[in-house]
Coordinates of all heavy atoms in Angstrom, one line a residue:
Q139 N -19.0 -12.5 1.5 CA -20.0 -11.9 2.3 C -21.2 -12.8 2.6 O -21.8 -12.8 3.7 CB -20.5 -10.6 1.6 CG -21.5 -9.8 2.5 CD -21.9 -8.5 1.7 OE1 -21.9 -8.5 0.5 NE2 -22.2 -7.5 2.5
Q140 N -21.5 -13.7 1.6 CA -22.7 -14.5 1.7 C -22.4 -16.0 1.5 O -23.2 -16.7 0.8 CB -23.8 -14.0 0.8 CG -24.2 -12.6 1.1 CD -25.2 -12.0 0.1 OE1 -25.2 -12.4 -1.1 NE2 -26.1 -11.2 0.6
V141 N -21.3 -16.5 2.0 CA -20.9 -17.9 1.8 C -20.8 -18.5 3.2 O -20.5 -17.8 4.2 CB -19.6 -18.1 1.0 CG1 -19.8 -17.5 -0.4 CG2 -18.4 -17.5 1.7
S142 N -20.9 -19.8 3.3 CA -20.7 -20.5 4.5 C -19.3 -20.6 4.9 O -18.4 -20.4 4.1 CB -21.3 -21.9 4.4 OG -20.5 -22.7 3.4
D143 N -19.0 -20.9 6.2 CA -17.7 -21.0 6.7 C -16.9 -22.1 6.0 O -15.7 -21.9 5.7 CB -17.7 -21.2 8.2 CG -18.1 -20.0 9.0 OD1 -18.1 -18.9 8.4 OD2 -18.5 -20.2 10.2
A144 N -17.6 -23.2 5.7 CA -16.9 -24.3 5.0 C -16.4 -24.0 3.6 O -15.5 -24.6 3.1 CB -17.8 -25.5 5.0
K145 N -17.1 -23.0 3.0 CA -16.8 -22.7 1.6 C -15.9 -21.5 1.5 O -15.3 -21.1 0.4 CB -18.1 -22.4 0.8 CG -17.9 -22.4 -0.7 CD -19.3 -22.3 -1.4 CE -19.1 -22.3 -2.9 NZ -20.4 -22.1 -3.6
R146 N -15.7 -20.8 2.6 CA -15.0 -19.5 2.5 C -13.5 -19.6 2.0 O -13.1 -18.8 1.2 CB -15.0 -18.9 3.9 CG -14.4 -17.5 4.0 CD -14.8 -16.8 5.2 NE -16.2 -16.6 5.4 CZ -16.8 -16.0 6.4 NH1 -16.1 -15.6 7.4 NH2 -18.1 -15.9 6.4
V147 N -12.8 -20.6 2.4 CA -11.4 -20.8 2.0 C -11.3 -21.0 0.5 O -10.5 -20.4 -0.2 CB -10.8 -22.0 2.7 CG1 -9.4 -22.2 2.1 CG2 -10.6 -21.7 4.2
A148 N -12.2 -21.8 -0.1 CA -12.2 -22.0 -1.5 C -12.5 -20.7 -2.3 O -11.9 -20.5 -3.3 CB -13.3 -23.1 -1.9
V149 N -13.5 -19.9 -1.8 CA -13.8 -18.6 -2.4 C -12.6 -17.7 -2.4 O -12.3 -17.0 -3.4 CB -15.1 -18.0 -1.8 CG1 -15.3 -16.6 -2.3 CG2 -16.3 -18.9 -2.0
V150 N -12.0 -17.6 -1.2 CA -10.8 -16.7 -1.1 C -9.7 -17.2 -2.0 O -9.0 -16.3 -2.7 CB -10.3 -16.7 0.4 CG1 -8.9 -16.0 0.4 CG2 -11.3 -16.0 1.3
A151 N -9.5 -18.5 -2.2 CA -8.5 -19.0 -3.1 C -8.8 -18.6 -4.5 O -7.9 -18.2 -5.3 CB -8.4 -20.5 -3.0
S152 N -10.0 -18.7 -4.9 CA -10.4 -18.3 -6.3 C -10.3 -16.8 -6.5 O -9.8 -16.4 -7.5 CB -11.9 -18.7 -6.5 OG -12.1 -20.1 -6.5
F153 N -10.6 -16.0 -5.5 CA -10.5 -14.6 -5.6 C -9.1 -14.1 -5.7 O -8.8 -13.3 -6.6 CB -11.1 -13.9 -4.3 CG -10.9 -12.5 -4.2 CD1 -11.6 -11.6 -5.0 CD2 -10.0 -11.9 -3.3 CE1 -11.4 -10.2 -4.9 CE2 -9.8 -10.6 -3.3 CZ -10.5 -9.7 -4.1
T154 N -8.2 -14.7 -4.9 CA -6.8 -14.2 -4.9 C -6.1 -14.6 -6.3 O -5.1 -13.9 -6.7 CB -6.0 -14.8 -3.8 OG1 -6.1 -16.3 -3.8 CG2 -6.5 -14.3 -2.4
M155 N -6.6 -15.6 -7.0 CA -6.0 -16.0 -8.2 C -6.1 -14.8 -9.3 O -5.2 -14.7 -10.2 CB -6.8 -17.2 -8.8 CG -6.3 -17.6 -10.2 SD -7.4 -18.9 -10.8 CE -9.0 -18.0 -11.0
F156 N -7.1 -14.0 -9.1 CA -7.3 -12.9 -10.1 C -6.2 -11.8 -10.1 O -6.0 -11.1 -11.0 CB -8.6 -12.3 -9.9 CG -9.8 -13.1 -10.5 CD1 -10.4 -14.0 -9.6 CD2 -10.2 -13.0 -11.8 CE1 -11.4 -14.8 -10.1 CE2 -11.2 -13.8 -12.3 CZ -11.8 -14.7 -11.4
F157 N -5.4 -11.8 -9.0 CA -4.3 -10.8 -8.9 C -3.3 -11.2 -10.0 O -2.8 -10.4 -10.7 CB -3.6 -10.9 -7.5 CG -2.4 -10.0 -7.4 CD1 -2.5 -8.6 -7.1 CD2 -1.2 -10.5 -7.6 CE1 -1.4 -7.8 -7.0 CE2 0.0 -9.7 -7.6 CZ -0.2 -8.4 -7.2
E158 N -2.9 -12.5 -10.0 CA -1.9 -13.0 -11.0 C -2.5 -12.8 -12.4 O -1.7 -12.5 -13.3 CB -1.6 -14.5 -10.7 CG -0.7 -14.7 -9.5 CD -1.3 -14.5 -8.2 OE1 -2.6 -14.6 -8.2 OE2 -0.6 -14.3 -7.2
L159 N -3.8 -13.1 -12.6 CA -4.3 -13.0 -13.9 C -4.3 -11.5 -14.4 O -3.9 -11.2 -15.5 CB -5.8 -13.4 -13.9 CG -6.0 -14.9 -13.7 CD1 -7.5 -15.2 -13.6 CD2 -5.4 -15.7 -14.8
G160 N -4.6 -10.6 -13.5 CA -4.6 -9.2 -13.9 C -3.2 -8.7 -14.2 O -2.9 -7.9 -15.1
S161 N -2.2 -9.2 -13.3 CA -0.8 -8.7 -13.5 C -0.3 -9.2 -14.9 O 0.4 -8.5 -15.6 CB 0.0 -9.3 -12.4 OG -0.4 -8.7 -11.1
A162 N -0.5 -10.5 -15.1 CA 0.0 -11.1 -16.4 C -0.7 -10.4 -17.6 O 0.0 -10.0 -18.6 CB -0.3 -12.6 -16.4
F163 N -2.0 -10.3 -17.6 CA -2.7 -9.7 -18.7 C -2.3 -8.2 -18.9 O -2.0 -7.8 -20.0 CB -4.2 -9.8 -18.4 CG -5.1 -9.1 -19.4 CD1 -5.3 -9.6 -20.6 CD2 -5.6 -7.8 -19.2 CE1 -6.1 -9.0 -21.6 CE2 -6.4 -7.1 -20.1 CZ -6.6 -7.7 -21.3
G164 N -2.2 -7.5 -17.8 CA -1.8 -6.1 -17.9 C -0.4 -5.9 -18.4 O -0.2 -5.0 -19.3
G165 N 0.6 -6.7 -18.0 CA 1.9 -6.6 -18.5 C 2.0 -6.8 -20.0 O 2.7 -6.1 -20.7
V166 N 1.3 -7.9 -20.5 CA 1.4 -8.2 -21.9 C 0.7 -7.1 -22.7 O 1.2 -6.6 -23.7 CB 0.8 -9.6 -22.1 CG1 0.7 -9.9 -23.6 CG2 1.6 -10.7 -21.5
V167 N -0.6 -6.8 -22.3 CA -1.4 -5.9 -23.1 C -0.8 -4.5 -23.1 O -0.6 -3.8 -24.2 CB -2.8 -5.9 -22.7 CG1 -3.6 -4.8 -23.4 CG2 -3.4 -7.3 -22.9
L168 N -0.5 -4.0 -21.9 CA 0.0 -2.6 -21.8 C 1.4 -2.5 -22.4 O 1.7 -1.4 -23.0 CB 0.0 -2.2 -20.4 CG -1.4 -2.1 -19.7 CD1 -1.3 -1.6 -18.3 CD2 -2.4 -1.3 -20.5
G169 N 2.2 -3.5 -22.3 CA 3.5 -3.5 -22.9 C 3.4 -3.3 -24.4 O 4.1 -2.6 -25.1
G170 N 2.4 -4.1 -25.0 CA 2.2 -4.0 -26.4 C 1.7 -2.6 -26.9 O 2.1 -2.1 -27.9
V171 N 0.8 -2.1 -26.1 CA 0.2 -0.8 -26.4 C 1.3 0.3 -26.3 O 1.4 1.2 -27.2 CB -0.9 -0.4 -25.3 CG1 -1.3 1.1 -25.5 CG2 -2.1 -1.3 -25.6
G172 N 2.2 0.2 -25.3 CA 3.3 1.1 -25.2 C 4.3 1.1 -26.4 O 4.8 2.1 -26.8
E173 N 4.5 -0.1 -26.9 CA 5.4 -0.3 -28.0 C 4.9 0.4 -29.2 O 5.6 0.9 -30.1 CB 5.7 -1.8 -28.3 CG 6.6 -2.5 -27.3 CD 8.0 -1.9 -27.3 OE1 8.5 -1.6 -28.5 OE2 8.7 -1.8 -26.3
V174 N 3.6 0.3 -29.4 CA 3.0 0.9 -30.6 C 2.7 2.3 -30.5 O 2.9 3.1 -31.4 CB 1.7 0.1 -30.9 CG1 0.9 0.7 -32.1 CG2 2.0 -1.4 -31.2
L175 N 2.1 2.8 -29.4 CA 1.6 4.1 -29.2 C 2.4 5.0 -28.3 O 2.1 6.2 -28.2 CB 0.2 4.1 -28.7 CG -0.8 3.3 -29.6 CD1 -2.2 3.3 -29.0 CD2 -0.9 4.0 -31.0
G176 N 3.4 4.5 -27.6 CA 4.2 5.3 -26.7 C 3.8 5.1 -25.2 O 2.8 4.6 -24.9
K177 N 4.7 5.6 -24.3 CA 4.6 5.3 -22.9 C 3.3 6.0 -22.4 O 2.6 5.3 -21.5 CB 5.8 5.9 -22.2 CG 7.0 5.1 -22.3 CD 7.0 3.8 -21.7 CE 8.3 3.1 -21.6 NZ 8.9 2.9 -22.9
R178 N 2.9 7.1 -22.8 CA 1.7 7.8 -22.2 C 0.5 6.9 -22.4 O -0.5 6.9 -21.6 CB 1.5 9.2 -22.8 CG 2.6 10.2 -22.3 CD 2.4 11.5 -23.0 NE 1.2 12.2 -22.6 CZ 0.8 13.4 -23.0 NH1 1.6 14.0 -23.9 NH2 -0.3 13.9 -22.6
S179 N 0.4 6.2 -23.6 CA -0.8 5.4 -23.9 C -1.0 4.3 -22.9 O -2.1 3.8 -22.8 CB -0.6 4.9 -25.3 OG 0.4 4.0 -25.4
I180 N 0.1 3.9 -22.3 CA 0.0 2.8 -21.3 C -0.9 3.1 -20.2 O -1.8 2.3 -19.8 CB 1.4 2.4 -20.8 CG1 2.3 1.8 -21.9 CG2 1.3 1.5 -19.6 CD1 3.7 1.6 -21.5
F181 N -0.8 4.3 -19.7 CA -1.6 4.7 -18.5 C -3.0 5.0 -18.9 O -3.9 4.8 -18.2 CB -0.9 5.9 -17.9 CG 0.5 5.7 -17.6 CD1 1.5 6.3 -18.3 CD2 0.9 4.9 -16.5 CE1 2.9 6.1 -18.0 CE2 2.2 4.6 -16.2 CZ 3.2 5.2 -17.0
V182 N -3.2 5.5 -20.1 CA -4.6 5.7 -20.7 C -5.3 4.4 -20.8 O -6.4 4.2 -20.4 CB -4.5 6.5 -22.0 CG1 -5.9 6.6 -22.6 CG2 -4.0 7.9 -21.8
A183 N -4.5 3.4 -21.4 CA -5.1 2.1 -21.6 C -5.4 1.4 -20.3 O -6.5 0.8 -20.1 CB -4.2 1.2 -22.4
G184 N -4.6 1.6 -19.3 CA -4.8 1.0 -18.0 C -6.1 1.6 -17.3 O -6.9 0.9 -16.7
A185 N -6.3 2.9 -17.5 CA -7.5 3.6 -17.0 C -8.7 3.0 -17.7 O -9.7 2.7 -17.0 CB -7.4 5.1 -17.1
L186 N -8.7 2.9 -19.0 CA -9.8 2.4 -19.8 C -10.2 1.0 -19.4 O -11.4 0.6 -19.3 CB -9.5 2.5 -21.3 CG -9.4 4.0 -21.8 CD1 -9.0 3.9 -23.3 CD2 -10.7 4.7 -21.6
I187 N -9.2 0.2 -19.2 CA -9.5 -1.2 -18.8 C -10.1 -1.3 -17.4 O -11.0 -2.1 -17.2 CB -8.2 -2.1 -18.9 CG1 -7.7 -2.2 -20.4 CG2 -8.3 -3.4 -18.2 CD1 -6.4 -2.9 -20.5
A188 N -9.6 -0.5 -16.5 CA -10.2 -0.5 -15.2 C -11.6 0.0 -15.2 O -12.4 -0.4 -14.3 CB -9.3 0.5 -14.3
V189 N -12.0 0.8 -16.1 CA -13.4 1.3 -16.2 C -14.3 0.1 -16.4 O -15.5 0.1 -15.9 CB -13.6 2.3 -17.4 CG1 -15.0 2.5 -17.7 CG2 -12.9 3.6 -17.1
F190 N -13.9 -1.0 -17.1 CA -14.7 -2.2 -17.3 C -15.1 -2.8 -15.9 O -16.1 -3.5 -15.8 CB -14.1 -3.2 -18.2 CG -14.1 -2.8 -19.6 CD1 -13.0 -2.2 -20.3 CD2 -15.3 -3.0 -20.4 CE1 -13.1 -1.8 -21.6 CE2 -15.3 -2.6 -21.7 CZ -14.3 -2.0 -22.3
G191 N -14.2 -2.6 -14.9 CA -14.5 -3.1 -13.6 C -15.8 -2.4 -13.0 O -16.6 -3.1 -12.4
L192 N -16.0 -1.2 -13.3 CA -17.2 -0.5 -12.9 C -18.4 -1.0 -13.6 O -19.5 -1.1 -13.0 CB -17.0 1.0 -13.1 CG -16.0 1.8 -12.3 CD1 -15.8 3.2 -12.8 CD2 -16.3 1.7 -10.8
V193 N -18.2 -1.3 -14.9 CA -19.4 -1.9 -15.7 C -19.8 -3.2 -15.1 O -21.0 -3.5 -14.9 CB -19.0 -2.0 -17.1 CG1 -20.1 -2.7 -17.9 CG2 -18.6 -0.6 -17.7
I194 N -18.8 -4.1 -14.8 CA -19.1 -5.4 -14.3 C -19.8 -5.3 -12.9 O -20.7 -6.0 -12.6 CB -17.8 -6.2 -14.2 CG1 -17.3 -6.6 -15.6 CG2 -18.0 -7.5 -13.4 CD1 -15.9 -7.2 -15.6
L195 N -19.2 -4.4 -12.1 CA -19.8 -4.2 -10.8 C -21.2 -3.7 -10.8 O -22.1 -4.1 -10.0 CB -19.0 -3.2 -10.0 CG -19.3 -3.0 -8.5 CD1 -19.1 -4.3 -7.7 CD2 -18.5 -1.8 -7.9
R196 N -21.6 -2.9 -11.8 CA -22.9 -2.4 -11.9 C -24.0 -3.5 -12.1 O -25.1 -3.4 -11.7 CB -22.9 -1.4 -13.1 CG -24.3 -0.7 -13.2 CD -24.2 0.4 -14.3 NE -25.5 1.0 -14.6 CZ -26.0 2.0 -13.9 NH1 -25.3 2.5 -12.9 NH2 -27.2 2.5 -14.1
F197 N -23.6 -4.5 -12.8 CA -24.5 -5.6 -13.2 C -24.4 -6.8 -12.2 O -25.1 -7.8 -12.4 CB -24.3 -6.0 -14.6 CG -24.7 -5.0 -15.6 CD1 -23.7 -4.2 -16.2 CD2 -26.0 -4.8 -16.0 CE1 -24.0 -3.3 -17.2 CE2 -26.3 -3.9 -16.9 CZ -25.4 -3.1 -17.5

Side-chain angles (χ1 to χ4, degrees):
Q139 189 177 26
Q140 297 174 331
V141 300
S142 65
D143 290 341
K145 194 175 181 181
R146 186 165 297 181
V147 172
V149 173
V150 170
S152 295
F153 172 76
T154 54
M155 175 188 68
F156 284 91
F157 177 87
E158 285 74 22
L159 292 177
S161 299
F163 176 78
V166 172
V167 172
L168 297 184
V171 170
E173 285 294 323
V174 176
L175 301 176
K177 289 290 191 300
R178 291 177 66 180
S179 65
I180 291 172
F181 307 106
V182 174
L186 292 175
I187 291 173
V189 167
F190 284 100
L192 294 174
V193 176
I194 292 173
L195 185 66
R196 182 176 179 84
F197 290 99

